[in-house]
Amino acid sequence: DALVVHPSLSYKTIDELPAGSIVGTSSLRRIAQLRYYRDDLVFKDIRGNLQTRLKKLDDGEYDAIVLATAGLERLGYSDRVTQKLPSSVTLHAVGQGALGIEIRAGDEKTRSLLSVINDRDTRAACEAERAFMRELEGGCQVPIGVHSSMDYGVYTLIGAVLS
């Protein structure tokens, strides 16, 4: 997750935002975690595509907004990121940042073509994250956060169900 602070403000991190700052996000998962971390901030829903959300920030409706880092990077807005929030502050959504491609069952030609872009570690992390969510019977409206990593061949998954 990435924090994007209004360009006119000198603050750059979640810790630097003054009490009462208005932070926009449409994610229940992010709100629950950020409210736990900084209960003195005001969280306000924000809707629209990435450009619309950035415009709302720039127009002064928010002091900062929280967005997916992967989306900002893919669309060429990584320069707007003022802080990549550490996993100690926010756990990411299940599968966040991973690209999934679905193919027909039994289509070995397509599977073979796509095998060159399959990242084994990313796939394993996504499968573990999705299994975690399935076990909890979670979905899009359940604030579940995860952080998965691999060190020396050992996968670790940290997860949280938030309210």
Side-chain angles (χ1 to χ4, degrees):
D1 292 335
L3 182 73
V4 181
V5 177
H6 189 282
S8 72
L9 299 176
S10 62
Y11 320 111
K12 300 300 175 207
T13 69
I14 193 77
D15 292 325
E16 293 173 357
L17 289 173
S21 292
I22 299 171
V23 179
T25 181
S26 61
S27 165
L28 295 174
R29 173 187 56 80
R30 289 182 182 124
I31 290 170
Q33 292 178 92
L34 292 169
R35 187 171 283 138
Y36 178 78
Y37 187 74
R38 288 286 311 269
D39 66 354
D40 60 336
L41 299 175
V42 176
F43 298 98
K44 184 177 165 188
D45 193 42
I46 186 169
R47 297 290 172 184
N49 64 27
L50 179 60
Q51 293 84 356
T52 299
R53 292 176 191 212
L54 290 171
K55 183 173 182 343
K56 288 178 179 183
L57 172 68
D58 294 343
D59 288 347
E61 293 181 42
Y62 305 88
D63 298 306
I65 57 177
V66 181
L67 301 162
T69 304
L72 287 158
E73 289 174 353
R74 281 188 189 135
L75 295 172
Y77 290 97
S78 56
D79 62 317
R80 295 294 307 263
V81 175
T82 56
Q83 181 188 20
K84 288 185 180 180
L85 296 171
S87 60
S88 60
V89 175
T90 60
L91 299 174
H92 64 79
V94 169
Q96 185 169 320
L99 177 63
I101 301 174
E102 188 172 344
I103 61 172
R104 290 181 301 273
D107 187 346
E108 294 308 315
K109 180 179 179 185
T110 302
R111 181 179 304 281
S112 176
L113 287 170
L114 292 174
S115 69
V116 297
I117 64 170
N118 183 42
D119 182 83
R120 190 185 74 180
D121 293 340
T122 300
R123 181 181 180 132
C126 287
E127 288 175 355
E129 292 172 8
R130 292 180 71 189
F132 176 74
M133 184 173 67
R134 248 188 329 274
E135 187 67 26
L136 296 172
E137 299 179 3
C140 297
Q141 298 304 312
V142 179
I144 294 176
V146 294
H147 176 76
S148 50
S149 61
M150 186 179 91
D151 293 305
Y152 305 105
V154 176
Y155 287 100
T156 303
L157 184 127
I158 298 168
V161 180
L162 308 149
S163 65

